[in-house]
Amino acid sequence: MKRLAVLLMLSFTLFIVNATRIEYGSLHMLAEAGIAYFEVDYSNAIIHGMSEEEFAEYELDWDKDMPQILGCFRSNLTERAGEYLALVTKKKVPLTLRWVVLSINTKGDTKSELHVLDADGVLLAKIVELYGEGGTIGSKLNLIKDGAKSSGKKAGSFLKRELRKALKE
């Protein structure tokens, strides 16, 4: 019984330590605006043990599937965030929400961050420990899309909760 209690406490502690959180700044400006320009940054990502450029050479459909991958993330994020956040890609607005992909493993599991930037590119908030689960069946790119969907859902749920809190402050 003591082992079970210790394991549960340890698991809970690890969950808290690895939970999505705001590491820097505040979401107050994003909450007030309710809209942000959306972009993605793969510049430092390790995808299947390779840089994005190396992975694009290895997986020839990477550039062709990129819009679908981004669409999976963005649509799931906005669906979960609801009326608290709209994302645009065609026009510039004062705030930018940047999805910074850090790594994608062979199952499509994705580790990433969200950065909120002002019009001058100054970092207003940094959300860390955003994990998305990939899939189990399908092509490499299909598994990456699964990870993007999962990441988008988790990001949207987190942003909805945090933007709602920021509006109440």
Side-chain angles (χ1 to χ4, degrees):
M1 187 67 173
K2 286 182 182 180
R3 280 187 184 181
L4 180 61
V6 169
L7 284 173
L8 286 173
M9 271 192 347
L10 191 62
S11 296
F12 183 71
T13 303
L14 288 174
F15 175 76
I16 296 296
V17 170
N18 290 323
T20 303
R21 68 185 188 287
I22 300 171
E23 182 180 81
Y24 171 81
S26 163
L27 295 179
H28 189 72
M29 287 182 68
L30 184 61
E32 286 183 350
I35 189 169
Y37 178 77
F38 175 75
E39 64 185 26
V40 66
D41 178 3
Y42 280 100
S43 63
N44 294 315
I46 301 299
I47 307 168
H48 295 208
M50 300 174 248
S51 70
E52 181 192 13
E53 289 176 358
E54 294 168 332
F55 186 74
E57 288 176 19
Y58 171 75
E59 183 60 60
L60 300 177
D61 288 339
W62 174 249
D63 292 326
K64 184 182 95 180
D65 282 7
M66 181 63 66
Q68 293 174 359
I69 294 166
L70 298 182
C72 288
F73 178 84
R74 190 176 63 241
S75 64
N76 282 283
L77 184 150
T78 55
E79 180 182 315
R80 291 283 175 104
E83 75 270 10
Y84 293 97
L85 182 63
L87 296 178
V88 296
T89 57
K90 302 288 187 209
K91 65 178 184 171
K92 279 290 195 176
V93 293
L95 298 176
T96 298
L97 181 68
R98 180 180 294 154
W99 182 36
V100 180
V101 179
L102 303 173
S103 66
I104 303 172
N105 70 17
T106 55
K107 288 177 30 183
D109 296 343
T110 304
K111 180 180 179 185
S112 59
E113 299 177 345
L114 291 174
H115 296 176
V116 179
L117 309 161
D118 70 8
D120 297 323
V122 175
L123 183 66
L124 301 175
K126 182 178 182 181
I127 299 165
V128 297
E129 304 296 337
L130 178 60
Y131 294 101
E133 292 86 29
T136 54
I137 299 174
S139 68
K140 290 174 183 68
L141 292 171
N142 186 60
L143 298 175
I144 291 171
K145 290 174 195 173
D146 291 342
K149 286 177 192 174
S150 176
S151 295
K153 288 178 181 178
K154 289 181 178 183
S157 295
F158 178 82
L159 286 171
K160 181 177 183 175
R161 183 179 65 247
E162 294 299 320
L163 293 173
R164 188 178 337 168
K165 275 198 283 189
L167 287 172
K168 290 180 181 177
E169 293 176 352

